[in-house]
Structures are given as C-alpha cells and as structure tokens.
Amino acid sequence: MARLHCLACDGVYGSVQADGAAYYHVCPSLSLGELQAAVDAGVVVLPDGETPAQAINRRVYVRADHRDENVTGPPPAPDQPSPIKAEGAGVEELIDEVAIDQTVTVDMQLVRNHLPPTV
Amino acid sequence: MIDQVPQRAIGTNIPAPLQWGDGPSYFFSGDDALLLTIVNSVAGVIVTFTGRFLNADDGRVAVVQQAFTPTSSRVASTIPIGFAVGWLLDWSVKVTTGSPTVGQVFAAVTLQRGMASSALELSTLSQGYITATQRLYGPNGPNRGLREGPGALRTIVGTNPAANTEILETVPAGAIWRLVSFHYQLVTDATVATRVSGLNIDDGANVSFMISAQSTHVASTTIDYSAFNCGAAGSASDNRYFVAIPGDLFLMPGWRIGTRTLNRQVGDDYAAPIYIVEEWMAP
C-alpha cells in the first residue's frame, strides 16, 4: 500500500485500505479559516453583508488545483488505471511513512528484562 | 424483431425432457450468450464461471470454465460467454482469487442475443453478492438486489489533513454507506481559545447535518472524538469526547463527512479519521 501526499491540500493517505479496497482521496473544500484568509487576501469577494461563516454554509469553496480520485469509467486497457475526476496538483509517494493501520511485530523475548517486575 | 428458437435436429442420445427444452436448463439457439457482469471494490479479485453444457449436435456434456478479473473501482465489468446450440444444464459463479466479504463483489448473469456490448438483454438468470464461498448458481439461483441484506462492514482510515485544515471524507462513486462510527483526534496549539469541534454531513454542497461534541476544547490539548449512535454521553474528563449521530445515517455517492471547528487556530491539527461503515454497491 502506497502512502501518498496530496500536493494540492497536503493531506496524507493510504491508497489501499486493509480490506483491499482502494481509497479515493478527495481534497477538502476550504475550511472557514481558509475562506477567511482568502477573503482577507482579496482572492474571494463575498456579497455585501455576508460573513465567511455564512458563506461557507451557502457555497462550496474548492481549491483551484483540487484532486478527486473517484473514477469516471473503466480503465482504457486492462493494465492501465481508471481515469479519475481530477488529477489536481498531483501526489508524491512517501517512502518512509508508516501507515497508522500497519501491524508492527515486537519480539517480547528481547524486551523481557526491561519490563517492570510483576507482583 | 426477435428470431424464434430454431428447430434443429439434435443428437439421439439426449435425454427426452431436454429434447424439447422443457427441463430445468437453459436452451441456447447458437445466437445467444451469457453476459457476466461484475461490480467489485477489492483489488486482485478473480471471478470464475463454471458449468456443464449439453451440446445438441453431438449429445456430449462439456465443462465450461471462464475466469475473469474485474476492475476494482466499482465500475461494472462485463464479459460475454458464447455457446453453441444446446442446453446449459447448470452453472455457478464464485470468487476464486481474493477474499472479499459479502457486499464487495456483486455479480449478475443475464441471457442476451449476441456477443456485442449492445446486444439485446433477454432475461436475468441470477444476481447477488458473491465471495469465495457464496456463489451464484443456476438453475433456480438467487435473485438479490444491490441493497438487499447486510452490506460489507469496513474500517476505513481516511486522509490525515494538513494543520489548519478540516477533515473531509467523501463517499466514493459507486458506493452507499451507512455510517456506524467516526473517530478522530484534534491536537490544539498553544493559542488560548475555546474550540468547539463537531461533524457536518453534506451532499457535496448542502449541509444537512451539524452536531457538536459534548464539550469544548482548550489550548495545548489532545482530545479523541468518537461519533456513534448512543443514548448517553460518557465522561469527558479523560479527553474522550462523544459526538452523537443517528443510527441509520445513510450516505450516497459524493456525500461528505467532515469536521467543523469553531475558533480553530492556525496550529490546530487533526489526525486521520478512522471510521466504520456498512457499504453496498451503487454502480
């Protein structure tokens, strides 16, 4: 299972779940803090009198290079991946990232002398 | 216009009930085919069709076997299986490589005129979820819909968002979820503020559900939040907060589950959510 870093939203995720099903990453839309920053920077202009807190419940603000890995159809050839909705800014593979659902085996024989004595 | 079943001379050693096609089998005119349709969500799965075919020309019973690797993206994969003139006596379809659970591989076997993808579908012989041990079969096999019965119970580890970003998980295309539980962790920075974390559900645009956790969240604190269907909240003193969600919270493809944080600060950081869903196919 590859650990991937989304270059659009900086999210980190595994491409395949423990049950073998693929995980389809979708970048989150802007949070309230990000929308506030976009308004402060003049990148987003809200209607007169509307606050970011109101706006975020009325519209979805999507980052311009957002990624959506949901597939749009079958693969063009058996050895090729299915086309996805939006490549966005792309991803990079994290080689040394340890998945949080990974099982790590520990040899307790080597640990025995370091355990506190039992009563 | 649909052709009538042709009247043909058949082998002399065919059992009498089958000569007229009135036995518990399927007559193939030579122009008919089976279409095997698979909707699958698990990588590496191989599905195999097997059966016995009584050839009308020579009266011999042949074994039919066809292995098939469907795509794992919940998009329907199809393969036509052609037959000579004769009777398909019995057949079954099961997973022969991989170990999906019920709800992850849906199969349908239909009869059609011709082999082309645009061929006329004539009838549905059997359909339902299959595994390595649960088969479709015929004659008289099961006919179950995509949403009949329990779905696949799945644990999903979502995206670990960047700091100062909310969690947002999206139901993938081709799936329907019933959200069983949703666990996440928030680490707050040293900025003094009283945060309130909660969950939002939307359909991709319209927020239909908002609920906050049982208590507020102060600076420099790590709190685990768990959302599930429960009648009472436990103690919040151990930094494990409860978020109430309905018992039958069904989510359609493209719907989203996310956090919404009041007074969130720049250094506040959510970890990857871990959640349990019951999943059905929705191709």
Side-chain angles (χ1 to χ4, degrees):
Chain A
M1 179 187 77
R3 298 289 294 170
L4 301 175
H5 169 221
C6 176
L7 300 176
C9 70
D10 280 331
V12 174
Y13 57 97
S15 58
V16 178
Q17 296 291 308
D19 63 0
Y23 176 78
Y24 301 98
H25 170 73
V26 181
C27 287
S29 47
L30 297 193
S31 64
L32 178 57
E34 290 172 313
L35 178 59
Q36 180 70 63
V39 170
D40 293 344
V43 176
V44 173
V45 178
L46 300 179
D48 286 343
E50 188 176 79
T51 66
Q54 292 169 327
I56 206 162
N57 285 331
R58 294 172 178 167
R59 290 168 219 102
V60 176
Y61 292 89
V62 179
R63 52 200 87 232
D65 53 358
H66 83 284
R67 182 172 178 82
D68 186 339
E69 297 180 345
N70 277 294
V71 301
T72 56
D79 57 344
Q80 293 185 14
S82 295
I84 65 174
K85 285 185 177 175
E87 289 283 350
V91 294
E92 64 176 0
E93 188 167 352
L94 302 174
I95 303 298
D96 298 325
E97 180 84 11
V98 177
I100 63 173
D101 57 346
Q102 181 173 314
T103 299
V104 179
T105 302
V106 178
D107 185 351
M108 292 306 291
Q109 295 295 332
L110 304 175
V111 181
R112 181 178 295 169
N113 293 336
H114 298 272
L115 292 170
T118 56
V119 177
Chain B
M1 170 134 183
I2 301 171
D3 296 333
Q4 292 184 329
V5 174
Q7 302 297 310
R8 291 177 60 109
I10 56 177
T12 55
N13 57 345
I14 299 173
L18 295 178
Q19 288 194 11
W20 314 111
D22 57 359
S25 58
Y26 307 102
F27 181 76
F28 282 75
S29 67
D31 296 323
D32 301 329
L34 281 186
L35 184 69
L36 179 57
T37 302
I38 304 292
V39 185
N40 168 46
S41 65
V42 181
V45 162
I46 296 177
V47 172
T48 301
F49 174 94
T50 53
R52 295 185 307 142
F53 184 77
L54 175 59
N55 192 307
D57 286 335
D58 60 12
R60 298 174 66 96
V61 175
V63 172
V64 181
Q65 184 174 35
Q66 176 82 53
F68 180 40
T69 303
T71 178
S72 60
S73 57
R74 300 185 184 84
V75 174
S77 303
T78 58
I79 182 168
I81 304 172
F83 291 92
V85 178
W87 289 267
L88 182 61
L89 302 176
D90 42 49
W91 58 271
S92 67
V93 179
K94 71 170 186 174
V95 173
T96 49
T97 298
S99 47
T101 62
V102 171
Q104 294 187 303
V105 183
F106 187 85
V109 178
T110 52
L111 188 63
Q112 66 178 26
R113 175 56 53 94
M115 296 283 284
S117 59
S118 59
L120 177 65
E121 182 176 314
L122 301 172
S123 61
T124 299
L125 305 188
S126 185
Q127 61 182 358
Y129 287 103
I130 59 172
T131 67
T133 55
Q134 178 169 302
R135 301 159 171 81
L136 286 191
Y137 55 88
N140 303 320
N143 260 298
R144 299 195 189 98
L146 289 154
R147 294 279 306 279
E148 287 184 46
L153 206 56
R154 301 187 56 210
T155 300
I156 298 172
V157 180
T159 297
N160 180 6
N164 198 24
T165 307
E166 301 282 357
I167 289 169
L168 194 67
E169 297 292 307
T170 305
V171 182
I176 292 176
W177 284 354
R178 183 177 72 84
L179 185 63
V180 177
S181 66
F182 195 90
H183 170 258
Y184 61 95
Q185 186 182 76
L186 173 61
V187 180
T188 51
D189 68 12
T191 308
V192 176
T194 302
R195 291 83 164 171
V196 180
S197 177
L199 284 183
N200 274 17
I201 306 286
D202 68 40
D203 62 4
N206 304 298
V207 178
S208 58
F209 181 91
M210 292 172 137
I211 186 76
S212 296
Q214 70 181 106
S215 190
T216 57
H217 191 157
V218 297
S220 304
T221 311
T222 300
I223 291 180
D224 286 286
Y225 293 83
S226 292
F228 50 94
N229 177 36
C230 182
S235 168
S237 60
D238 56 356
N239 287 348
R240 294 176 181 173
Y241 286 9
F242 172 63
V243 184
I245 59 173
D248 284 330
L249 186 50
F250 289 96
L251 306 171
M252 302 301 286
W255 289 26
R256 308 184 301 180
I257 315 156
T259 52
R260 178 69 62 89
T261 317
L262 183 68
N263 294 328
R264 185 164 53 80
Q265 305 300 306
V266 172
D268 291 355
D269 193 8
Y270 281 105
I274 301 174
Y275 48 105
I276 297 173
V277 301
E278 186 176 13
E279 178 180 301
W280 295 266
M281 298 289 186

